[in-house]
Amino acid sequence: MRFTPRGTRFFDLLTEAARNLVTATALLRDLVAAEPAEREPIAKRLHEVEHQGDELTHTIMVELNSSFVTPFDREDIQALAAKIDDVLDFVDTAADLAVLYRIGAFPPGTDLLVRVLCRAAELTASSMPGLSKVGDLEPFWIEINELENEADRIYRRILAHLFEPGGDALEVLKTKEVVEQFELAADAFEHIGDVVQTIAVKES
């Protein structure tokens, strides 16, 4: 086993994983804005990004198993990597379903919801290098929580629009399932903030 004092390798890997979220959410933004016939290659690229995220998560797990000393509790590093991976999974699923279900125009507000995800990804990526001084990251978990609340509000408005009388029931259900993945991604971002806050409390 390697002795890794305070393990900066973990900070680097988690930062790289978080930067992957920026790429993924940007692709999701492109997919939502694209015409239906143009979405498949974007979804394919996003799936490749998700696969890269899986490889990074695996690398972090290998590092955990081979490091004698970690910068903070192993279960917290594992949880942080898992929550980052969750965001990628939800975003990838949303893109895949949008193509498989042949979703037409997304309901009003979807672009705003994706914009919240992009902001959360950028915030997460810029904050992960600060894990070495995790107590300074309070603004991160506060804003992430605010973004999740904003995502909830936007999601409810989207649902209200979807369930207006006169819509095709099958199309409504398919679109709801896709947009729900966006909201789940916002929840997963909040969970990242929760883990960071937990680490900060333990390290204080």
Side-chain angles (χ1 to χ4, degrees):
M1 291 188 293
R2 274 188 311 109
F3 185 83
T4 54
R6 303 307 287 173
T8 57
R9 171 71 168 154
F10 290 111
F11 302 140
D12 295 340
L13 287 170
L14 289 166
T15 297
E16 186 177 354
R19 286 174 181 158
N20 223 21
L21 298 179
V22 176
T23 303
T25 53
L27 285 167
L28 186 65
R29 181 185 58 214
D30 293 344
L31 182 138
V32 167
E35 294 296 323
E38 301 170 349
R39 289 177 183 156
E40 189 168 356
I42 301 173
K44 182 178 179 181
R45 170 63 184 136
L46 208 161
H47 187 66
E48 292 170 355
V49 173
E50 190 274 336
H51 181 66
Q52 292 168 4
D54 286 341
E55 291 180 344
L56 280 167
T57 302
H58 175 71
T59 301
I60 291 169
M61 295 304 108
V62 170
E63 287 286 327
L64 275 176
N65 291 330
S66 60
S67 298
F68 184 68
V69 172
T70 56
F72 33 79
D73 287 350
R74 293 171 185 274
E75 60 266 26
D76 291 328
I77 296 174
Q78 184 174 1
L80 198 49
K83 298 308 178 185
I84 291 173
D85 190 60
D86 284 346
V87 175
L88 280 176
D89 287 343
F90 290 130
V91 170
D92 179 49
T93 299
D96 193 36
L97 290 177
V99 172
L100 291 174
Y101 288 171
R102 298 191 178 101
I103 301 297
F106 280 94
T110 305
D111 59 330
L112 299 178
L113 185 52
V114 175
R115 193 181 304 170
V116 170
L117 297 180
C118 290
R119 171 57 187 159
E122 292 163 0
L123 183 63
T124 302
S126 65
S127 298
M128 287 301 100
L131 286 170
S132 58
K133 295 182 179 178
V134 70
D136 295 340
L137 290 181
E138 183 176 1
F140 163 68
W141 66 71
I142 289 174
E143 185 173 351
I144 281 288
N145 181 264
E146 292 171 349
L147 288 170
E148 195 277 332
N149 290 337
E150 183 180 353
D152 279 347
R153 289 190 293 270
I154 297 170
Y155 178 62
R156 288 193 293 268
R157 290 197 293 270
I158 292 172
L159 290 184
H161 175 82
L162 280 175
F163 290 124
E164 286 179 353
D168 180 272
L170 183 57
E171 291 302 315
V172 166
L173 289 175
K174 290 192 295 186
T175 303
K176 177 182 179 295
E177 186 174 351
V178 175
V179 177
E180 185 178 28
Q181 301 302 312
F182 300 168
E183 201 274 334
L184 290 171
D187 287 345
F189 272 118
E190 184 182 35
H191 296 156
I192 293 172
D194 292 342
V195 175
V196 172
Q197 185 176 10
T198 297
I199 295 168
V201 170
K202 290 181 179 180
E203 293 291 305
S204 62

